[in-house]
Amino acid sequence: MTYSQRSTYSSSSSDITYLEIQIEAAKEELEQVKIAGQQKLVETTRQKLDKLETELAKLEE
C-alpha cells in the first residue's frame, strides 16, 4: 500500500509509523549502497531519505 493510500484510510499515528519504517528501510538501503560504492544510487537514496524525514517532521508537528 502506498503512503497516499495509507493516509486516506488511517490515522496520523499510522502515517507516522509507516514513514518511520520507510525511513529505516531507506537508511539500510543507503548503507548497502555505500558499501557497494555506487555513488549515484547513494545520492538518489539520500534524497529519498530526506524527503521521508521531511514528511515525518510535518506529521509530528
Side-chain angles (χ1 to χ4, degrees), residues 26-37:
K27 285 180 180 180
E28 289 175 17
E29 185 178 344
L30 182 60
E31 286 303 312
Q32 292 173 1
V33 171
K34 280 182 185 179
I35 291 169

Side-chain angles (χ1 to χ4, degrees), residues 26 29-50:
E29 185 178 344
L30 182 60
E31 286 303 312
Q32 292 173 1
V33 171
K34 280 182 185 179
I35 291 169
Q38 299 174 358
Q39 188 60 32
K40 184 175 181 178
L41 193 51
V42 168
E43 289 304 316
T44 301
T45 305
R46 186 171 284 133
Q47 290 171 356
K48 178 181 175 181
L49 177 59
D50 289 344

Side-chain angles (χ1 to χ4, degrees), residues 3-60:
Y3 173 72
S4 60
Q5 289 171 324
R6 288 181 61 84
S7 64
T8 303
Y9 296 107
S10 60
S11 68
S12 181
S13 63
S14 293
D15 293 340
I16 290 171
T17 301
Y18 174 78
L19 286 172
E20 289 173 339
I21 291 168
Q22 292 301 308
I23 288 169
E24 286 304 312
K27 285 180 180 180
E28 289 175 17
E29 185 178 344
L30 182 60
E31 286 303 312
Q32 292 173 1
V33 171
K34 280 182 185 179
I35 291 169
Q38 299 174 358
Q39 188 60 32
K40 184 175 181 178
L41 193 51
V42 168
E43 289 304 316
T44 301
T45 305
R46 186 171 284 133
Q47 290 171 356
K48 178 181 175 181
L49 177 59
D50 289 344
K51 182 179 175 185
L52 289 167
E53 287 176 334
T54 299
E55 286 186 52
L56 178 60
K58 287 179 186 176
L59 286 174
E60 289 180 333

